Amino acid sequence: MLKRFLPALALALAMSSPASAAVKASDVIQRAIDGFVRPAYASLHDHADGLAKAMDALCQAPSQGNLDAAHAEFSATVAAWSSAEIIGFGPIEENNRLERMLYWPDRKSIGLKQVQAALAAKDPTARDPAQLAGKSVAMQGLGALEFVLYGDGSEALAGKDDPYRCAYGAAVAKNIETMAAEVDAAWKKPDGFAALWANPGPDNALYRDGTESVTELVGVFINELEMVRDVRLKGFLGAKPDADKPRQAIFWRSRNTGLSLAGNLSGIDTLFEASKLGDALPEDARWMAESIHIQLVNGIATARSAQGPIDKALADPAQREKLEHFALITSSLSGLIGTRLTAEFGLTAGFSSLDGD
């Protein structure tokens, strides 16, 4: 586990003042919570609420205009989720919310088949948010709603020919809003998970010292960069064009692949800046923090520039080059954070969250 390599980081956090490592770690974590985690999940809640309302409006008055509005709210919610999801621990883990919010990757199309089956059978229990919450995780999140809004037969949503499809989509959207509200509220609780993370100690069941609490934060940067590069991007971007798998790209139906990748890096950047973890670096290594920020900003811009259907982007040499550049940026960031920055804090270089260490 990463935490066995962090005593030097705790020491570095303590050196700038007489305060204990736990106290300094608490400062870093509190900044991360107040500057990123709480605003990110509050934003997700706001956008999810807008999405639920847009779906209700579409069902009550089907039209192309209302369908376009639902599409816009879906994309906004995807962007908000992609930023917030880098904090994949704490309240979002409870009650399977992480998988219920987004079941992905779905390499065997298990979730797709379940959604298609519900639509074909017009399952009455799937259009009830309360009953839907107890069904398969693949049927009740952003992936399911994406198929409703953009998959085969979705054009019927602009008219009155398939009211069940809209009702099911509205139930999914309501379920997403409910989960977002629950996580938002949980992070805001003064005696909730945030208090446990920011106040490590011998009586804390989750974080017994500052080393353990900061481990959680450092792990976000390392783990999420690897996830973006090795799972999200390499899942569809092959070493050569004939190895590309555009339908393995996240949110490919809604053309939100680039938006999602940009959101992941935007979340990482905002969290890194908010926590001021770079301030714990030795003075002659502070350049790393600025370099990390610059590369993240470049990665965000590169991902956002890869617009339109992902299959067409892959087929376009100029667009594909942008995706390859994004891969280089994420690899550089993984080396900078996962090897060089962690080495400054006394961690073992080359740690990978994906290899079971």
Side-chain angles (χ1 to χ4, degrees), residues 104-164:
W104 193 93
D106 184 14
R107 294 189 178 93
K108 296 183 179 179
S109 299
I110 295 172
L112 174 62
K113 292 172 183 176
Q114 292 175 344
V115 171
Q116 290 174 323
L119 291 171
K122 301 190 185 304
D123 177 4
T125 63
R127 63 185 181 188
D128 175 16
Q131 294 185 73
L132 180 62
K135 291 184 178 293
S136 165
V137 296
M139 293 182 64
Q140 51 183 296
L142 290 166
L145 186 55
E146 183 187 37
F147 185 82
V148 170
L149 286 170
Y150 298 91
D152 294 341
S154 59
E155 64 279 356
L157 292 170
K160 300 181 179 180
D161 294 339
D162 194 356
Y164 175 82

Short mmCIF file of all heavy atoms in Angstrom, two decimals, residues 104-164:
data_model
loop_
_atom_site.label_atom_id
_atom_site.label_comp_id
_atom_site.label_asym_id
_atom_site.label_seq_id
_atom_site.Cartn_x
_atom_site.Cartn_y
_atom_site.Cartn_z
N TRP A 104 -19.03 1.69 -15.69
CA TRP A 104 -18.12 1.74 -16.83
C TRP A 104 -16.73 1.35 -16.38
O TRP A 104 -16.34 1.67 -15.25
CB TRP A 104 -18.08 3.17 -17.40
CG TRP A 104 -17.42 3.25 -18.75
CD1 TRP A 104 -18.03 3.18 -19.97
CD2 TRP A 104 -16.02 3.38 -19.00
NE1 TRP A 104 -17.09 3.27 -20.96
CE2 TRP A 104 -15.84 3.39 -20.40
CE3 TRP A 104 -14.88 3.47 -18.20
CZ2 TRP A 104 -14.59 3.48 -21.00
CZ3 TRP A 104 -13.64 3.58 -18.79
CH2 TRP A 104 -13.50 3.59 -20.17
N PRO A 105 -15.98 0.58 -17.21
CA PRO A 105 -16.35 0.12 -18.56
C PRO A 105 -17.32 -1.06 -18.52
O PRO A 105 -17.34 -1.82 -17.55
CB PRO A 105 -15.01 -0.31 -19.14
CG PRO A 105 -14.18 -0.70 -17.95
CD PRO A 105 -14.59 0.23 -16.85
N ASP A 106 -18.07 -1.16 -19.57
CA ASP A 106 -19.06 -2.24 -19.72
C ASP A 106 -18.65 -3.07 -20.93
O ASP A 106 -19.32 -3.08 -21.96
CB ASP A 106 -20.46 -1.64 -19.90
CG ASP A 106 -21.55 -2.70 -19.97
OD1 ASP A 106 -21.27 -3.86 -19.61
OD2 ASP A 106 -22.68 -2.37 -20.39
N ARG A 107 -17.49 -3.73 -20.81
CA ARG A 107 -16.89 -4.39 -21.97
C ARG A 107 -17.74 -5.53 -22.55
O ARG A 107 -17.68 -5.83 -23.72
CB ARG A 107 -15.50 -4.93 -21.59
CG ARG A 107 -14.49 -3.82 -21.26
CD ARG A 107 -13.08 -4.34 -21.11
NE ARG A 107 -12.14 -3.27 -20.84
CZ ARG A 107 -11.78 -2.88 -19.62
NH1 ARG A 107 -12.30 -3.48 -18.56
NH2 ARG A 107 -10.91 -1.89 -19.45
N LYS A 108 -18.53 -6.17 -21.72
CA LYS A 108 -19.38 -7.25 -22.20
C LYS A 108 -20.81 -6.78 -22.48
O LYS A 108 -21.70 -7.60 -22.72
CB LYS A 108 -19.39 -8.39 -21.18
CG LYS A 108 -18.02 -9.05 -20.99
CD LYS A 108 -18.09 -10.22 -20.04
CE LYS A 108 -16.72 -10.88 -19.89
NZ LYS A 108 -16.76 -12.03 -18.94
N SER A 109 -21.01 -5.46 -22.43
CA SER A 109 -22.32 -4.85 -22.72
C SER A 109 -23.42 -5.37 -21.81
O SER A 109 -24.59 -5.43 -22.21
CB SER A 109 -22.70 -5.08 -24.20
OG SER A 109 -21.76 -4.48 -25.06
N ILE A 110 -23.07 -5.74 -20.61
CA ILE A 110 -24.07 -6.24 -19.65
C ILE A 110 -25.08 -5.15 -19.34
O ILE A 110 -26.29 -5.38 -19.38
CB ILE A 110 -23.37 -6.72 -18.36
CG1 ILE A 110 -22.48 -7.93 -18.66
CG2 ILE A 110 -24.41 -7.07 -17.29
CD1 ILE A 110 -21.61 -8.35 -17.48
N GLY A 111 -24.58 -3.97 -19.02
CA GLY A 111 -25.49 -2.87 -18.71
C GLY A 111 -26.34 -2.48 -19.89
O GLY A 111 -27.54 -2.24 -19.75
N LEU A 112 -25.74 -2.41 -21.06
CA LEU A 112 -26.48 -2.06 -22.27
C LEU A 112 -27.63 -3.03 -22.50
O LEU A 112 -28.76 -2.61 -22.81
CB LEU A 112 -25.54 -2.06 -23.48
CG LEU A 112 -26.18 -1.86 -24.85
CD1 LEU A 112 -26.86 -0.49 -24.92
CD2 LEU A 112 -25.14 -2.00 -25.95
N LYS A 113 -27.37 -4.30 -22.34
CA LYS A 113 -28.41 -5.31 -22.55
C LYS A 113 -29.54 -5.15 -21.54
O LYS A 113 -30.72 -5.34 -21.87
CB LYS A 113 -27.81 -6.71 -22.47
CG LYS A 113 -26.87 -7.04 -23.64
CD LYS A 113 -26.15 -8.36 -23.42
CE LYS A 113 -25.16 -8.63 -24.55
NZ LYS A 113 -24.38 -9.88 -24.31
N GLN A 114 -29.20 -4.82 -20.30
CA GLN A 114 -30.23 -4.64 -19.27
C GLN A 114 -31.10 -3.43 -19.57
O GLN A 114 -32.32 -3.48 -19.40
CB GLN A 114 -29.57 -4.50 -17.90
CG GLN A 114 -28.91 -5.78 -17.41
CD GLN A 114 -28.16 -5.58 -16.10
OE1 GLN A 114 -27.89 -4.45 -15.69
NE2 GLN A 114 -27.80 -6.67 -15.45
N VAL A 115 -30.47 -2.35 -20.02
CA VAL A 115 -31.23 -1.15 -20.38
C VAL A 115 -32.12 -1.43 -21.58
O VAL A 115 -33.31 -1.06 -21.59
CB VAL A 115 -30.27 0.03 -20.68
CG1 VAL A 115 -31.04 1.21 -21.25
CG2 VAL A 115 -29.54 0.44 -19.40
N GLN A 116 -31.59 -2.08 -22.58
CA GLN A 116 -32.38 -2.41 -23.77
C GLN A 116 -33.54 -3.33 -23.42
O GLN A 116 -34.64 -3.18 -23.97
CB GLN A 116 -31.48 -3.06 -24.83
CG GLN A 116 -30.49 -2.09 -25.45
CD GLN A 116 -29.52 -2.77 -26.39
OE1 GLN A 116 -29.08 -3.90 -26.14
NE2 GLN A 116 -29.17 -2.11 -27.48
N ALA A 117 -33.30 -4.27 -22.51
CA ALA A 117 -34.36 -5.19 -22.10
C ALA A 117 -35.48 -4.44 -21.39
O ALA A 117 -36.67 -4.72 -21.61
CB ALA A 117 -33.79 -6.28 -21.20
N ALA A 118 -35.12 -3.50 -20.52
CA ALA A 118 -36.14 -2.72 -19.80
C ALA A 118 -36.96 -1.89 -20.78
O ALA A 118 -38.18 -1.80 -20.65
CB ALA A 118 -35.48 -1.82 -18.77
N LEU A 119 -36.31 -1.31 -21.77
CA LEU A 119 -37.02 -0.51 -22.77
C LEU A 119 -37.93 -1.38 -23.63
O LEU A 119 -39.06 -0.98 -23.95
CB LEU A 119 -36.01 0.23 -23.66
CG LEU A 119 -35.21 1.35 -22.99
CD1 LEU A 119 -34.11 1.85 -23.92
CD2 LEU A 119 -36.13 2.50 -22.58
N ALA A 120 -37.45 -2.56 -24.00
CA ALA A 120 -38.26 -3.45 -24.84
C ALA A 120 -39.47 -3.97 -24.11
O ALA A 120 -40.58 -4.06 -24.67
CB ALA A 120 -37.40 -4.60 -25.34
N ALA A 121 -39.28 -4.32 -22.83
CA ALA A 121 -40.37 -4.88 -22.04
C ALA A 121 -41.25 -3.81 -21.41
O ALA A 121 -42.31 -4.13 -20.87
CB ALA A 121 -39.80 -5.78 -20.94
N LYS A 122 -40.80 -2.57 -21.46
CA LYS A 122 -41.49 -1.46 -20.80
C LYS A 122 -41.76 -1.81 -19.32
O LYS A 122 -42.88 -1.67 -18.82
CB LYS A 122 -42.78 -1.09 -21.54
CG LYS A 122 -42.52 -0.68 -22.99
CD LYS A 122 -43.76 -0.09 -23.63
CE LYS A 122 -43.55 0.20 -25.12
NZ LYS A 122 -42.40 1.10 -25.37
N ASP A 123 -40.70 -2.23 -18.67
CA ASP A 123 -40.75 -2.64 -17.26
C ASP A 123 -41.27 -1.48 -16.41
O ASP A 123 -40.60 -0.45 -16.27
CB ASP A 123 -39.35 -3.04 -16.81
CG ASP A 123 -39.27 -3.42 -15.35
OD1 ASP A 123 -40.32 -3.45 -14.67
OD2 ASP A 123 -38.15 -3.70 -14.87
N PRO A 124 -42.46 -1.64 -15.79
CA PRO A 124 -43.03 -0.52 -15.02
C PRO A 124 -42.21 -0.17 -13.79
O PRO A 124 -42.23 0.99 -13.34
CB PRO A 124 -44.42 -1.04 -14.64
CG PRO A 124 -44.32 -2.52 -14.71
CD PRO A 124 -43.35 -2.81 -15.81
N THR A 125 -41.48 -1.12 -13.23
CA THR A 125 -40.70 -0.83 -12.02
C THR A 125 -39.47 0.02 -12.34
O THR A 125 -38.95 0.71 -11.46
CB THR A 125 -40.24 -2.12 -11.34
OG1 THR A 125 -39.36 -2.85 -12.21
CG2 THR A 125 -41.43 -3.01 -11.00
N ALA A 126 -39.02 0.00 -13.60
CA ALA A 126 -37.82 0.77 -13.96
C ALA A 126 -38.11 2.25 -14.13
O ALA A 126 -37.19 3.06 -14.20
CB ALA A 126 -37.21 0.21 -15.24
N ARG A 127 -39.39 2.62 -14.21
CA ARG A 127 -39.70 4.05 -14.35
C ARG A 127 -40.05 4.67 -13.00
O ARG A 127 -40.42 5.85 -12.94
CB ARG A 127 -40.85 4.26 -15.34
CG ARG A 127 -42.16 3.64 -14.95
CD ARG A 127 -43.18 3.80 -16.06
NE ARG A 127 -44.47 3.23 -15.68
CZ ARG A 127 -45.50 3.08 -16.52
NH1 ARG A 127 -45.36 3.47 -17.78
NH2 ARG A 127 -46.62 2.56 -16.11
N ASP A 128 -39.91 3.89 -11.95
CA ASP A 128 -40.11 4.39 -10.58
C ASP A 128 -38.73 4.56 -9.94
O ASP A 128 -38.03 3.57 -9.73
CB ASP A 128 -40.94 3.39 -9.77
CG ASP A 128 -41.06 3.79 -8.32
OD1 ASP A 128 -40.79 4.96 -7.98
OD2 ASP A 128 -41.43 2.92 -7.50
N PRO A 129 -38.31 5.80 -9.66
CA PRO A 129 -36.96 6.01 -9.11
C PRO A 129 -36.65 5.17 -7.88
O PRO A 129 -35.53 4.66 -7.73
CB PRO A 129 -36.94 7.51 -8.78
CG PRO A 129 -37.94 8.10 -9.72
CD PRO A 129 -39.03 7.07 -9.85
N ALA A 130 -37.63 5.00 -6.99
CA ALA A 130 -37.39 4.24 -5.76
C ALA A 130 -37.10 2.78 -6.07
O ALA A 130 -36.18 2.17 -5.49
CB ALA A 130 -38.60 4.36 -4.84
N GLN A 131 -37.88 2.19 -6.98
CA GLN A 131 -37.65 0.79 -7.34
C GLN A 131 -36.40 0.65 -8.22
O GLN A 131 -35.67 -0.34 -8.12
CB GLN A 131 -38.86 0.22 -8.07
CG GLN A 131 -40.11 0.14 -7.18
CD GLN A 131 -41.27 -0.54 -7.88
OE1 GLN A 131 -41.27 -1.75 -8.07
NE2 GLN A 131 -42.27 0.25 -8.28
N LEU A 132 -36.15 1.62 -9.06
CA LEU A 132 -34.98 1.58 -9.92
C LEU A 132 -33.69 1.57 -9.09
O LEU A 132 -32.72 0.90 -9.45
CB LEU A 132 -34.97 2.80 -10.85
CG LEU A 132 -33.80 2.91 -11.83
CD1 LEU A 132 -33.77 1.72 -12.79
CD2 LEU A 132 -33.88 4.22 -12.61
N ALA A 133 -33.69 2.27 -7.96
CA ALA A 133 -32.51 2.35 -7.10
C ALA A 133 -32.09 0.99 -6.57
O ALA A 133 -30.93 0.79 -6.20
CB ALA A 133 -32.76 3.30 -5.94
N GLY A 134 -33.02 0.02 -6.54
CA GLY A 134 -32.70 -1.31 -6.06
C GLY A 134 -32.34 -2.29 -7.15
O GLY A 134 -32.03 -3.45 -6.87
N LYS A 135 -32.37 -1.84 -8.38
CA LYS A 135 -32.05 -2.71 -9.51
C LYS A 135 -30.55 -2.72 -9.79
O LYS A 135 -29.76 -2.13 -9.06
CB LYS A 135 -32.83 -2.27 -10.75
CG LYS A 135 -34.34 -2.50 -10.65
CD LYS A 135 -35.03 -2.12 -11.95
CE LYS A 135 -36.52 -2.40 -11.89
NZ LYS A 135 -36.80 -3.85 -11.83
N SER A 136 -30.16 -3.36 -10.87
CA SER A 136 -28.76 -3.44 -11.28
C SER A 136 -28.14 -2.04 -11.34
O SER A 136 -28.77 -1.09 -11.80
CB SER A 136 -28.65 -4.11 -12.65
OG SER A 136 -27.39 -3.89 -13.23
N VAL A 137 -26.88 -1.94 -10.90
CA VAL A 137 -26.20 -0.65 -10.93
C VAL A 137 -26.10 -0.11 -12.35
O VAL A 137 -26.03 1.11 -12.57
CB VAL A 137 -24.79 -0.75 -10.30
CG1 VAL A 137 -24.88 -1.12 -8.83
CG2 VAL A 137 -23.91 -1.75 -11.06
N ALA A 138 -26.09 -0.99 -13.33
CA ALA A 138 -25.91 -0.57 -14.72
C ALA A 138 -27.14 0.09 -15.31
O ALA A 138 -27.07 0.71 -16.37
CB ALA A 138 -25.54 -1.79 -15.58
N MET A 139 -28.28 -0.01 -14.63
CA MET A 139 -29.54 0.49 -15.18
C MET A 139 -29.91 1.88 -14.69
O MET A 139 -30.91 2.43 -15.13
CB MET A 139 -30.69 -0.46 -14.83
CG MET A 139 -30.61 -1.82 -15.49
SD MET A 139 -32.04 -2.83 -15.04
CE MET A 139 -33.39 -1.87 -15.76
N GLN A 140 -29.11 2.46 -13.79
CA GLN A 140 -29.62 3.63 -13.08
C GLN A 140 -28.69 4.84 -13.05
O GLN A 140 -28.91 5.76 -12.28
CB GLN A 140 -29.96 3.24 -11.65
CG GLN A 140 -28.85 2.51 -10.91
CD GLN A 140 -29.27 2.09 -9.52
OE1 GLN A 140 -29.54 2.94 -8.67
NE2 GLN A 140 -29.34 0.81 -9.27
N GLY A 141 -27.66 4.85 -13.91
CA GLY A 141 -26.72 5.95 -13.88
C GLY A 141 -26.56 6.66 -15.21
O GLY A 141 -27.40 6.56 -16.11
N LEU A 142 -25.44 7.35 -15.34
CA LEU A 142 -25.20 8.17 -16.53
C LEU A 142 -25.09 7.34 -17.80
O LEU A 142 -25.50 7.79 -18.87
CB LEU A 142 -23.92 9.00 -16.32
CG LEU A 142 -24.03 10.12 -15.29
CD1 LEU A 142 -22.64 10.64 -14.92
CD2 LEU A 142 -24.90 11.26 -15.82
N GLY A 143 -24.54 6.14 -17.70
CA GLY A 143 -24.44 5.28 -18.88
C GLY A 143 -25.81 4.88 -19.40
O GLY A 143 -26.05 4.88 -20.61
N ALA A 144 -26.71 4.54 -18.48
CA ALA A 144 -28.06 4.16 -18.87
C ALA A 144 -28.79 5.35 -19.49
O ALA A 144 -29.46 5.22 -20.53
CB ALA A 144 -28.83 3.64 -17.66
N LEU A 145 -28.65 6.51 -18.88
CA LEU A 145 -29.34 7.69 -19.40
C LEU A 145 -28.77 8.11 -20.75
O LEU A 145 -29.51 8.59 -21.62
CB LEU A 145 -29.25 8.84 -18.40
CG LEU A 145 -30.05 10.10 -18.75
CD1 LEU A 145 -31.52 9.78 -19.00
CD2 LEU A 145 -29.91 11.15 -17.65
N GLU A 146 -27.47 7.89 -20.94
CA GLU A 146 -26.89 8.22 -22.24
C GLU A 146 -27.55 7.40 -23.34
O GLU A 146 -27.87 7.92 -24.42
CB GLU A 146 -25.38 7.96 -22.24
CG GLU A 146 -24.75 8.38 -23.57
CD GLU A 146 -23.29 8.01 -23.69
OE1 GLU A 146 -22.91 6.92 -23.19
OE2 GLU A 146 -22.52 8.77 -24.29
N PHE A 147 -27.79 6.11 -23.09
CA PHE A 147 -28.43 5.29 -24.12
C PHE A 147 -29.87 5.75 -24.36
O PHE A 147 -30.34 5.81 -25.50
CB PHE A 147 -28.43 3.80 -23.75
CG PHE A 147 -28.98 2.94 -24.84
CD1 PHE A 147 -28.18 2.56 -25.91
CD2 PHE A 147 -30.31 2.55 -24.84
CE1 PHE A 147 -28.70 1.79 -26.95
CE2 PHE A 147 -30.84 1.77 -25.87
CZ PHE A 147 -30.02 1.40 -26.93
N VAL A 148 -30.57 6.10 -23.29
CA VAL A 148 -31.94 6.59 -23.45
C VAL A 148 -31.95 7.83 -24.33
O VAL A 148 -32.78 7.94 -25.25
CB VAL A 148 -32.56 6.91 -22.07
CG1 VAL A 148 -33.89 7.65 -22.23
CG2 VAL A 148 -32.78 5.63 -21.27
N LEU A 149 -31.03 8.74 -24.09
CA LEU A 149 -31.02 10.02 -24.80
C LEU A 149 -30.36 9.98 -26.18
O LEU A 149 -30.68 10.80 -27.04
CB LEU A 149 -30.31 11.08 -23.96
CG LEU A 149 -31.07 11.62 -22.74
CD1 LEU A 149 -30.15 12.46 -21.87
CD2 LEU A 149 -32.28 12.44 -23.18
N TYR A 150 -29.45 9.03 -26.39
CA TYR A 150 -28.66 9.04 -27.62
C TYR A 150 -28.63 7.69 -28.36
O TYR A 150 -28.14 7.64 -29.49
CB TYR A 150 -27.21 9.44 -27.33
CG TYR A 150 -27.05 10.82 -26.76
CD1 TYR A 150 -27.06 11.04 -25.39
CD2 TYR A 150 -26.88 11.93 -27.59
CE1 TYR A 150 -26.90 12.31 -24.85
CE2 TYR A 150 -26.71 13.20 -27.07
CZ TYR A 150 -26.73 13.38 -25.69
OH TYR A 150 -26.57 14.65 -25.17
N GLY A 151 -29.10 6.63 -27.73
CA GLY A 151 -29.02 5.31 -28.34
C GLY A 151 -30.09 5.08 -29.38
O GLY A 151 -30.90 5.97 -29.69
N ASP A 152 -30.10 3.88 -29.95
CA ASP A 152 -31.08 3.52 -30.96
C ASP A 152 -32.50 3.79 -30.47
O ASP A 152 -32.89 3.36 -29.38
CB ASP A 152 -30.95 2.03 -31.31
CG ASP A 152 -29.63 1.71 -31.98
OD1 ASP A 152 -28.99 2.64 -32.48
OD2 ASP A 152 -29.24 0.52 -31.98
N GLY A 153 -33.27 4.51 -31.26
CA GLY A 153 -34.65 4.82 -30.91
C GLY A 153 -34.82 6.10 -30.14
O GLY A 153 -35.96 6.51 -29.84
N SER A 154 -33.73 6.79 -29.81
CA SER A 154 -33.83 7.99 -28.97
C SER A 154 -34.52 9.15 -29.67
O SER A 154 -35.03 10.05 -29.01
CB SER A 154 -32.43 8.43 -28.51
OG SER A 154 -31.60 8.71 -29.62
N GLU A 155 -34.56 9.11 -31.00
CA GLU A 155 -35.22 10.19 -31.74
C GLU A 155 -36.71 10.28 -31.39
O GLU A 155 -37.33 11.35 -31.53
CB GLU A 155 -35.05 10.01 -33.25
CG GLU A 155 -35.69 8.77 -33.83
CD GLU A 155 -34.86 7.50 -33.65
OE1 GLU A 155 -33.72 7.60 -33.12
OE2 GLU A 155 -35.34 6.42 -34.03
N ALA A 156 -37.26 9.19 -30.90
CA ALA A 156 -38.68 9.17 -30.53
C ALA A 156 -38.98 10.09 -29.35
O ALA A 156 -40.13 10.47 -29.12
CB ALA A 156 -39.13 7.75 -30.20
N LEU A 157 -37.94 10.46 -28.59
CA LEU A 157 -38.14 11.33 -27.43
C LEU A 157 -38.64 12.71 -27.82
O LEU A 157 -39.23 13.41 -26.99
CB LEU A 157 -36.83 11.46 -26.64
CG LEU A 157 -36.32 10.21 -25.93
CD1 LEU A 157 -34.91 10.44 -25.41
CD2 LEU A 157 -37.26 9.82 -24.79
N ALA A 158 -38.41 13.11 -29.06
CA ALA A 158 -38.87 14.43 -29.50
C ALA A 158 -40.36 14.44 -29.80
O ALA A 158 -40.95 15.51 -30.00
CB ALA A 158 -38.10 14.86 -30.75
N GLY A 159 -40.99 13.27 -29.82
CA GLY A 159 -42.42 13.17 -30.08
C GLY A 159 -43.12 12.38 -28.98
O GLY A 159 -42.57 12.17 -27.90
N LYS A 160 -44.32 11.92 -29.27
CA LYS A 160 -45.13 11.24 -28.27
C LYS A 160 -45.25 9.74 -28.52
O LYS A 160 -46.10 9.07 -27.94
CB LYS A 160 -46.53 11.86 -28.22
CG LYS A 160 -46.52 13.35 -27.86
CD LYS A 160 -47.92 13.93 -27.81
CE LYS A 160 -47.89 15.41 -27.43
NZ LYS A 160 -49.25 16.01 -27.38
N ASP A 161 -44.37 9.20 -29.38
CA ASP A 161 -44.49 7.80 -29.77
C ASP A 161 -43.96 6.82 -28.73
O ASP A 161 -44.33 5.63 -28.76
CB ASP A 161 -43.75 7.56 -31.10
CG ASP A 161 -44.41 8.30 -32.26
OD1 ASP A 161 -45.59 8.65 -32.13
OD2 ASP A 161 -43.71 8.54 -33.27
N ASP A 162 -43.08 7.26 -27.84
CA ASP A 162 -42.47 6.33 -26.87
C ASP A 162 -42.41 6.95 -25.49
O ASP A 162 -41.34 7.26 -24.97
CB ASP A 162 -41.07 5.93 -27.34
CG ASP A 162 -40.52 4.71 -26.59
OD1 ASP A 162 -41.19 4.24 -25.66
OD2 ASP A 162 -39.41 4.25 -26.94
N PRO A 163 -43.57 7.15 -24.85
CA PRO A 163 -43.57 7.79 -23.53
C PRO A 163 -42.83 6.97 -22.47
O PRO A 163 -42.30 7.54 -21.51
CB PRO A 163 -45.06 7.92 -23.19
CG PRO A 163 -45.74 6.88 -24.04
CD PRO A 163 -44.94 6.82 -25.29
N TYR A 164 -42.79 5.64 -22.64
CA TYR A 164 -42.09 4.83 -21.64
C TYR A 164 -40.61 5.17 -21.60
O TYR A 164 -40.02 5.28 -20.52
CB TYR A 164 -42.26 3.33 -21.90
CG TYR A 164 -41.44 2.52 -20.91
CD1 TYR A 164 -41.92 2.27 -19.64
CD2 TYR A 164 -40.14 2.09 -21.23
CE1 TYR A 164 -41.15 1.59 -18.70
CE2 TYR A 164 -39.36 1.43 -20.30
CZ TYR A 164 -39.87 1.17 -19.04
OH TYR A 164 -39.10 0.53 -18.11
#
